[in-house]
């Protein structure tokens, strides 16, 4: 039996799909409170991926985050599988970090004039329903943090079991550009 020390449990445990490895590693390097969660993610030809949460004991009681990559529709089901498993391992808090949430045009979603066509399938709504079915963590509903959302009405696509928090990264971009300008002016 493995003995677990309080020091073995990270303050924040960040999981991610293989496509987000570079960004996740940069986040972990910048913040000493963040430790990368370990997943086994094996591709199998003609089958669904085989995935496993490694060191699941670290999840219990931790703040757990999952950094998504919804740019590739083929990986959404695999990411969803991990996102539904993590809350079942007992984290204190579970958050989904989404740098981009796929959306359709306003017209396609019924937008300004309610011009959606009968029979159209809105994938944004479907994805929000999937995420809304993710189990709760110990402290309550899953929170999804979405940066630079294109349509504010998307926050209403999520059901009550998920808290949608919309963020804007424009301030971060402007601050970073200011740093670059300052660095170039004084070098």
């Amino acid at each position: 039996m493995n003995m677990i020390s309080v020091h073995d449990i990270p303050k924040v445990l960040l999981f991610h799909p293989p496509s987000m490895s570079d960004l996740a590693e940069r986040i972990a390097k910048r913040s000493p409170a963040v430790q990368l969660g370990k997943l086994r993610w094996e591709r199998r030809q003609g089958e669904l991926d085989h995935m496993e949460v490694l060191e699941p004991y670290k999840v219990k009681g931790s703040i757990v985050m999952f950094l998504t990559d919804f740019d590739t529709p083929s990986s959404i089901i695999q990411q969803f599988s991990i996102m539904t498993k993590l809350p079942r391992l007992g984290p204190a808090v579970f958050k989904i970090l989404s740098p981009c949430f796929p959306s359709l045009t306003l017209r396609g979603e019924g937008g300004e004039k309610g011009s959606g066509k009968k029979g159209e399938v809105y994938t944004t709504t479907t994805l929000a329903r999937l995420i809304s079915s993710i189990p709760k963590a110990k402290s309550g509903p899953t929170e999804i943090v979405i940066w630079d959302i294109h349509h504010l009405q998307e926050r209403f696509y999520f059901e009550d079991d998920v808290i949608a928090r919309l963020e804007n990264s424009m301030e971060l971009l402007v601050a970073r550009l200011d740093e670059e300008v300052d660095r170039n002016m004084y070098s």
Side-chain angles (χ1 to χ4, degrees):
M1 183 171 156
N2 292 342
M3 295 300 292
I4 301 170
S5 163
V6 171
H7 302 291
D8 291 336
I9 299 174
K11 292 180 182 173
V12 177
L13 196 55
L14 178 64
F15 290 90
H16 58 87
S19 59
M20 297 300 274
S21 293
D22 291 341
L23 179 57
E25 287 170 12
R26 284 187 281 157
I27 291 168
K29 281 182 184 176
R30 292 189 87 165
S31 177
V34 175
Q35 180 179 342
L36 293 179
K38 296 179 183 174
L39 296 172
R40 178 175 296 135
W41 200 299
E42 297 174 6
R43 292 259 177 221
R44 295 184 178 174
Q45 191 66 25
E47 298 178 23
L48 290 176
D49 292 353
H50 173 74
M51 296 162 295
E52 180 181 358
V53 177
L54 304 175
E55 302 177 330
Y57 64 89
K58 288 186 176 183
V59 172
K60 188 173 184 173
S62 293
I63 296 170
V64 175
M65 298 184 180
F66 186 82
L67 179 62
T68 66
D69 177 7
F70 292 143
D71 288 346
T72 55
S74 62
S75 72
I76 289 174
I77 191 71
Q78 289 83 0
Q79 292 178 71
F80 179 72
S81 298
I82 295 293
M83 289 186 287
T84 56
K85 181 64 175 179
L86 289 170
R88 295 175 193 271
L89 296 174
V93 174
F94 183 58
K95 294 184 181 196
I96 299 167
L97 308 176
S98 183
C100 176
F101 194 79
S103 61
L104 301 174
T105 64
L106 276 173
R107 200 182 98 228
E109 289 289 351
E112 299 173 271
K113 299 180 182 173
S115 57
K117 294 178 184 171
K118 188 175 183 176
E120 280 185 310
V121 177
Y122 305 123
T123 55
T124 303
T125 307
T126 303
L127 182 56
R129 285 181 185 146
L130 276 173
I131 290 171
S132 294
S133 71
I134 291 173
K136 294 178 181 178
K138 288 182 178 180
S139 66
T142 295
E143 180 178 26
I144 180 167
V145 183
I146 305 169
W147 281 270
D148 294 329
I149 195 161
H150 299 286
H151 304 299
L152 292 178
Q153 72 268 23
E154 287 177 7
R155 69 177 173 253
F156 300 112
Y157 296 169
F158 297 95
E159 295 174 18
D160 292 340
D161 287 338
V162 170
I163 298 168
R165 189 173 102 205
L166 311 179
E167 296 289 339
N168 187 331
S169 61
M170 190 55 74
E171 291 175 20
L172 297 172
L173 177 61
V174 169
R176 182 76 171 136
L177 289 172
D178 286 344
E179 287 174 15
E180 288 296 316
V181 168
D182 290 345
R183 185 178 13 231
N184 289 331
M185 285 179 61
Y186 299 111
S187 56

